[in-house]
């Protein structure tokens, strides 16, 4: 019966099997639930990776007011975490990012390139932690002064960003992306640095990033991807954009992040 099949049918079947075999293992991530606040910081590299690769997922944006009740049953008492369709639950940011990076084909198979992506993401963790810590316990003008100083050369936030910049310089790739191709690390630079300078942290503006041309090139390259722009255009209309985070409406911070990325 096989020999009697039309040649066109056989060719179509062969092409289908070939394409299926070459597809990234994104199917394992279909319909996962991604839990995080309605902010970009540690969320949008994962959200963008899934959206770019057209993998359907549930974006569980948790308002700060609801986090208290959700925290005790969460895997590590922190976000983000993921809940896969098969029931698997995984926590810790970089475990989630590597899983999603591998599942979307945005994490290198080469061990050295993979280590470079990990190095960059670990450095971005420092950017987020240092920015969050700076000015804690202070109020008003004192807090603004402390954060402003941290963004100047030699300050903690400046130094943390300089180390990410140096990571890109060591990679020596000609284009804007860390390994020469878009990876989960580049998406994380866009999200983490962009959010840190989005106005979410009063006193931390984006002007000092002019000292970091590689970071700026990545931010601009990511927001210039048409599907990324489409993602944010749709997100702007979502109800959770009205949530107040860090004393600001989420949409206000997102708008500034996008604007400064385009102008980078």
């Amino acid at each position: 019966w096989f020999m009697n099949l039309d040649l066109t049918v056989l060719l179509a079947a062969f092409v289908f099997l070939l394409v299926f075999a070459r597809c990234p293992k994104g199917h394992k991530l279909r319909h996962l639930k991604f839990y995080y606040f309605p902010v970009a910081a540690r969320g949008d590299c994962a959200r963008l990776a899934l959206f770019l690769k057209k993998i359907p997922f549930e974006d569980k944006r948790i308002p700060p007011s609801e986090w208290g009740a959700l925290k005790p049953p969460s895997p590590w008492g922190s976000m983000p975490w993921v809940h896969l369709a098969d029931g698997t639950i995984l926590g810790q940011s970089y475990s989630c990012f590597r899983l999603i990076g591998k599942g979307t084909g945005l994490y290198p198979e080469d061990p050295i390139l993979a280590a470079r992506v990990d190095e960059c993401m670990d450095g971005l963790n420092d950017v987020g932690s240092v920015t969050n810590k700076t000015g804690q316990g202070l109020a008003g003008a004192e807090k603004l002064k402390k954060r402003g100083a941290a963004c100047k050369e030699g300050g903690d936030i400046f130094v943390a960003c300089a180390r990410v910049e140096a990571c890109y310089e060591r990679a020596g790739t000609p284009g804007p992306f860390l390994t020469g191709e878009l990876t989960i690390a580049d998406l994380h630079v866009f999200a983490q640095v962009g959010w840190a300078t989005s106005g979410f942290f009063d006193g931390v503006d984006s002007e000092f990033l002019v000292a970091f041309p590689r970071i700026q090139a990545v931010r601009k390259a990511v927001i210039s991807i048409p599907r990324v722009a489409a993602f944010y255009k749709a997100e702007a209309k979502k109800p959770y954009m009205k949530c107040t985070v860090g004393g600001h409406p989420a949409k206000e911070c997102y708008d500034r992040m996008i604007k400064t990325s385009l102008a980078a």
Side-chain angles (χ1 to χ4, degrees), residues 19-39:
V19 170
F20 182 80
R22 291 177 62 84
C23 281
K25 298 177 181 179
H27 63 280
K28 293 183 179 179
L29 303 180
R30 288 176 63 85
H31 304 301
L32 69 78
K33 297 176 183 177
F34 182 78
Y35 290 82
Y36 193 56
F37 297 109
V39 304

Side-chain angles (χ1 to χ4, degrees), residues 59-94:
D59 191 358
K60 309 291 281 189
R61 303 236 184 182
I62 309 302
S65 60
E66 296 179 12
W67 172 229
L70 197 59
K71 184 173 182 177
S74 66
W76 292 86
S78 62
M79 292 195 288
W81 85 79
V82 297
H83 188 165
L84 303 184
D86 67 2
T88 301
I89 295 176
L90 294 167
Q92 295 292 359
S93 301
Y94 296 101

Side-chain angles (χ1 to χ4, degrees), residues 234-256:
E235 288 298 292
K237 302 173 184 177
K238 299 291 179 65
Y240 46 71
M241 282 295 183
K242 297 179 181 179
C243 287
T244 299
V245 289
H248 304 275
K251 188 177 183 302
E252 179 181 294
C253 295
Y254 266 111
D255 286 347
R256 184 173 179 184

Side-chain angles (χ1 to χ4, degrees), residues 94-116:
Y94 296 101
S95 172
C96 296
F97 298 163
R98 280 189 288 271
L99 170 71
I100 292 170
K102 291 175 181 179
T104 56
L106 292 172
Y107 186 90
E109 293 185 4
D110 178 273
I112 300 300
L113 294 181
R116 198 174 291 285

Side-chain angles (χ1 to χ4, degrees), residues 201-235:
F201 298 98
D202 293 320
V204 179
D205 55 43
S206 61
E207 281 75 9
F208 77 97
L209 295 177
V210 70
F212 308 119
R214 292 301 303 264
I215 288 177
Q216 292 290 71
V218 175
R219 295 178 67 216
K220 188 160 192 171
V222 169
I223 195 60
S224 298
I225 297 171
R227 192 160 171 82
V228 171
F231 174 82
Y232 285 113
K233 184 177 181 179
E235 288 298 292

Side-chain angles (χ1 to χ4, degrees), residues 108-193:
E109 293 185 4
D110 178 273
I112 300 300
L113 294 181
R116 198 174 291 285
V117 165
D118 288 341
E119 177 189 22
C120 181
M121 292 200 296
D122 286 343
L124 288 161
N125 181 51
D126 294 342
V127 172
S129 297
V130 167
T131 306
N132 189 55
K133 181 175 67 175
T134 301
Q136 279 190 353
L138 302 178
E142 193 176 2
K143 176 185 285 188
L144 295 178
K145 182 179 179 181
K146 182 75 172 180
R147 287 178 173 171
C151 294
K152 297 184 184 299
E153 187 170 359
D156 289 346
I157 297 173
F158 189 100
V159 169
C161 289
R163 288 171 176 160
V164 173
E165 179 82 2
C167 182
Y168 274 80
E169 290 175 349
R170 286 195 301 274
T173 47
F177 301 131
L178 183 65
T179 67
E181 297 181 351
L182 180 68
T183 68
I184 194 82
D186 302 305
L187 296 178
H188 196 19
V189 168
F190 170 77
Q192 185 70 71
V193 176

